[in-house]
Amino acid sequence: MKINASKMATPIEEKVDQNLKTRTGMVMISDGKSKPELARLHLSMEMITIQKQDTTTPAPTPTNATHPPIESKERMVQITRQKVGGLGLSIKGGAEHKLPILISRIYKDQAADATGQLFVGDAIIKVNGEYITACPHDDAVNILRNAGDIVVLTVKHYRAATPFLQKQLSRETPESDNDATCAELKADENWKSVNSSRPVSISSEPENRWIDLVSVPLMMAYVTRYIYGTDKLRPNAFEVRGLNGTTTGIIHCDDLAILSQWLKYITDNVVGLTSLQMKLFNRNFPVGERIEYMGWVNEGVINNHISWQSYKPRFLVLKGTEVMLFDSPPLNVTGLTKANVAYKVYQTMFRVVKESETVDSRQHCFLLQSSGHEPRYLSVETRQELLRIENSWNAAIVTSVIKLGRKTFAVSHHGKTGGLTLDWQVGFSLTEGAEAAVIWQYKFSQLRGSSDDGKSKLKLHFQDHETRTIETKELECHVLQSLLFCMHAFLTAKVASVDPTFLSSIQQA
């Protein structure tokens, strides 16, 4: 059956069975090169599956009344609305009569007749993917009238209704007399004999209607709208890649609202499953070494400050005092020790890149720079994910600084060798000599500013609590960047800890 790609996506349907929610909807699937083909997307909590329709339905015939389907399986039929005659069919029934919406007439040489796949006695289950089984007659009429020029009907043949409806045609019953026809149909012996033992229900689908083409597990899956390895955003399309190497292929949705819904539902499931895995990992670690965040990012490779040559998917983990990047997600506790890149959080700067500062078409970017290393330019798919990373980073900063407690850097002050200590409880202190005598000491809250020459010299400006005057302390440090990054971490942690709720949540996590 040929489906026009100009209107391919259908609204997402939800079903709940034994408290398990699944979602389905029609989309188009391609390998990124060939023409997209119609398929169904089936989403459960743990899996996304691409399905195709079971095509073992009777072959279409040019006449409608003499060769109806023998088996009452659901079928999908596309109709192209004509300017004269519309869809070329009439309907009877409706929820107010406890009857399905039944095709009661197909007009010769008009749209429905031209398909060769619709028959008197067919019950219309869906219009463009939307169920109409609970609709009154008049609502069903309006839905069909406003369904657009390309209409996809999901139908199921009811043999019991066919003889009665054909008899009605021979009697030329007025099309407007739906109530009378429904009353006579329900009283008809053939219909009663078929339906007396069970209510009329056509909303359920046969189990063998759809064939699974590929299933992708969502645990730590990679979801992207970008063409793999580039900054090029796919128009109205996305891809899901699983840990086992499977991929959905490129999923196309012409309707941006439906595209956004699918991305949200899939991403929510991925985040939920990844959070579950994170909790399982954290059972093995004490409070100060637990994972704050796990998820996919993309790292750019720059060449002479031009556009990125390529983007590489990386799996980012914030754990204890470390930020780590993996080529593939760690599958167990041992895997967490095998990061491709690992930096100390308290010696690493995190900065969100403003939209005006991005170097190409990738959005939602941030920088990670650890002292002694080149900065890493990373991006994520959504603003929400960037906020999750930023919040997790702040939490990781507090955790790592509390666990570290204090850090001392070798410095010189007025030509004398000493040590500048950053202490979570005390603040800044300078010591000199073999006995580490305290020369001066200030709380973090007394720091009013700082400046440096980008090499080794640093000025710290403190405010005296009593005199309110600014006192400037000049230092030299051969690992200035490391000192500055660590100082930034302690200050960030102190600012975050001003919120007792935030600090409490970190300590209890």
Side-chain angles (χ1 to χ4, degrees), residues 333-349:
V333 173
T334 303
L336 286 166
T337 65
K338 299 178 180 179
N340 299 89
V341 175
Y343 300 140
K344 292 297 182 184
V345 171
Y346 56 81
Q347 288 185 334
T348 305
M349 287 286 286

Side-chain angles (χ1 to χ4, degrees), residues 197-244:
S197 61
R198 57 183 172 85
V200 178
S201 174
I202 56 173
S203 59
S204 62
E205 299 178 359
E207 291 297 324
N208 61 347
R209 185 186 170 206
W210 297 99
I211 300 171
D212 293 350
L213 296 180
V214 62
S215 293
V216 178
L218 294 178
M219 173 67 77
M220 295 189 282
Y222 173 67
V223 184
T224 183
R225 286 193 62 192
Y226 290 92
I227 297 174
Y228 193 80
T230 75
D231 67 328
K232 307 304 179 187
L233 196 69
R234 294 186 187 276
N236 300 347
F238 64 97
E239 178 186 9
V240 183
R241 295 188 176 205
L243 281 179
N244 59 357

Side-chain angles (χ1 to χ4, degrees), residues 96-117:
E96 72 270 35
H97 299 290
K98 297 182 180 180
L99 288 173
I101 301 298
L102 295 162
I103 295 179
S104 60
R105 175 173 293 191
I106 292 177
Y107 295 91
K108 187 173 177 59
D109 297 329
Q110 293 189 20
D113 184 54
T115 67
Q117 300 176 63

Side-chain angles (χ1 to χ4, degrees), residues 240-508:
V240 183
R241 295 188 176 205
L243 281 179
N244 59 357
T246 56
T247 174
T248 57
I250 311 305
I251 300 170
H252 303 261
C253 293
D254 58 332
D255 188 310
L256 279 176
I258 295 175
L259 176 75
S260 297
Q261 280 185 312
W262 273 123
L263 283 170
K264 182 183 184 304
Y265 292 146
I266 295 168
T267 301
D268 285 351
N269 286 9
V270 171
V271 170
L273 289 168
T274 303
S275 296
L276 177 61
Q277 183 61 54
M278 193 167 72
K279 290 177 181 178
L280 293 174
F281 280 154
N282 282 340
R283 290 180 178 180
N284 301 282
F285 307 117
V287 173
E289 296 178 13
R290 291 179 181 170
I291 300 169
E292 293 283 354
Y293 175 86
M294 294 197 312
W296 284 102
V297 298
N298 277 273
E299 182 176 10
V301 180
I302 197 168
N303 181 25
N304 296 326
H305 300 282
I306 313 175
S307 290
W308 305 109
Q309 288 182 318
S310 64
Y311 277 88
K312 184 176 182 179
R314 297 276 204 174
F315 197 77
L316 176 72
V317 176
L318 284 170
K319 178 185 176 297
T321 61
E322 289 187 313
V323 53
M324 298 176 282
L325 291 172
F326 297 81
D327 285 338
S328 59
L331 301 179
N332 48 44
V333 173
T334 303
L336 286 166
T337 65
K338 299 178 180 179
N340 299 89
V341 175
Y343 300 140
K344 292 297 182 184
V345 171
Y346 56 81
Q347 288 185 334
T348 305
M349 287 286 286
F350 171 92
R351 184 172 72 85
V352 174
V353 178
K354 297 177 182 178
E355 287 187 17
S356 59
E357 296 175 344
T358 55
V359 299
D360 54 24
S361 298
R362 283 258 178 182
Q363 298 177 326
H364 319 303
C365 302
F366 63 98
L367 284 169
L368 284 183
Q369 184 173 8
S370 187
S371 58
H373 300 274
E374 288 295 315
R376 292 181 177 273
Y377 190 91
L378 304 157
S379 77
V380 289
E381 294 286 323
T382 65
R383 174 65 179 165
Q384 289 77 9
E385 191 66 15
L386 183 57
L387 288 173
R388 284 185 65 234
I389 293 176
E390 188 173 18
N391 291 336
S392 298
W393 182 268
N394 289 334
I397 284 286
V398 174
T399 300
S400 63
V401 168
I402 290 175
K403 183 179 180 183
L404 179 65
R406 65 203 309 266
K407 178 79 173 174
T408 300
F409 293 87
V411 297
S412 62
H413 178 245
H414 297 319
K416 296 181 180 180
T417 300
L420 177 67
T421 299
L422 308 176
D423 189 292
W424 171 249
Q425 300 294 341
V426 176
F428 295 91
S429 60
L430 179 72
T431 57
E432 290 180 358
E435 296 181 358
V438 177
I439 304 303
W440 49 257
Q441 184 172 295
Y442 296 94
K443 293 181 179 180
F444 288 114
S445 59
Q446 290 180 264
L447 183 67
R448 288 294 174 266
S450 65
S451 58
D452 63 87
D453 65 354
K455 297 177 182 178
S456 62
K457 294 182 179 180
L458 171 66
K459 291 182 180 180
L460 298 175
H461 309 289
F462 299 102
Q463 186 176 51
D464 186 274
H465 277 319
E466 296 179 359
T467 65
R468 313 301 292 176
T469 58
I470 300 297
E471 300 174 355
T472 299
K473 304 299 181 182
E474 297 186 19
L475 306 168
E476 277 197 58
C477 180
H478 293 298
V479 286
L480 180 61
Q481 189 181 59
S482 182
L483 168 58
L484 291 173
F485 285 5
C486 194
M487 189 171 75
H488 184 271
F490 272 78
L491 292 170
T492 299
K494 275 296 177 183
V495 170
S497 68
V498 170
D499 181 356
T501 305
F502 177 82
L503 184 59
S504 176
S505 68
I506 297 305
Q507 292 173 335
Q508 294 175 8

Side-chain angles (χ1 to χ4, degrees), residues 1 3 26 38-40 51-57 73-77 153-155 208-213:
M1 147 178 50
I3 300 292
M26 301 305 296
L38 188 69
R40 186 171 86 153
Q51 301 173 320
K52 72 174 182 179
Q53 189 180 14
D54 187 351
T55 57
T56 58
T57 52
K73 289 185 178 181
E74 290 184 11
R75 299 146 21 232
M76 291 179 67
V77 182
L153 299 182
T154 302
V155 298
N208 61 347
R209 185 186 170 206
W210 297 99
I211 300 171
D212 293 350
L213 296 180

Side-chain angles (χ1 to χ4, degrees), residues 20-74:
L20 297 175
K21 182 179 289 185
T22 60
R23 294 181 169 95
T24 56
M26 301 305 296
V27 294
M28 302 292 279
I29 301 292
S30 78
D31 59 4
K33 299 176 182 178
S34 56
K35 186 177 180 181
E37 296 181 358
L38 188 69
R40 186 171 86 153
L41 211 55
H42 182 279
L43 177 67
S44 66
M45 183 59 200
E46 298 180 348
M47 197 79 67
I48 182 171
T49 302
I50 306 298
Q51 301 173 320
K52 72 174 182 179
Q53 189 180 14
D54 187 351
T55 57
T56 58
T57 52
T61 58
T63 55
N64 296 289
T66 57
H67 298 283
I70 298 174
E71 298 181 0
S72 58
K73 289 185 178 181
E74 290 184 11

Side-chain angles (χ1 to χ4, degrees), residues 112-183:
D113 184 54
T115 67
Q117 300 176 63
L118 291 172
F119 308 91
V120 170
D122 279 347
I124 302 176
I125 299 167
K126 302 179 197 175
V127 178
N128 291 338
E130 293 190 59
Y131 280 104
I132 66 166
T133 50
C135 289
H137 177 269
D138 289 350
D139 288 355
V141 170
N142 288 330
I143 289 171
L144 288 167
R145 282 176 179 166
N146 298 299
D149 293 335
I150 305 295
V151 183
V152 178
L153 299 182
T154 302
V155 298
K156 180 178 179 180
H157 192 67
Y158 270 71
R159 295 180 64 189
T162 306
F164 176 82
L165 292 171
Q166 289 177 340
K167 184 168 65 175
Q168 291 287 310
L169 286 177
S170 65
R171 289 165 47 188
E172 298 184 353
T173 303
E175 287 298 320
S176 61
D177 195 7
N178 182 56
D179 292 347
T181 302
C182 290

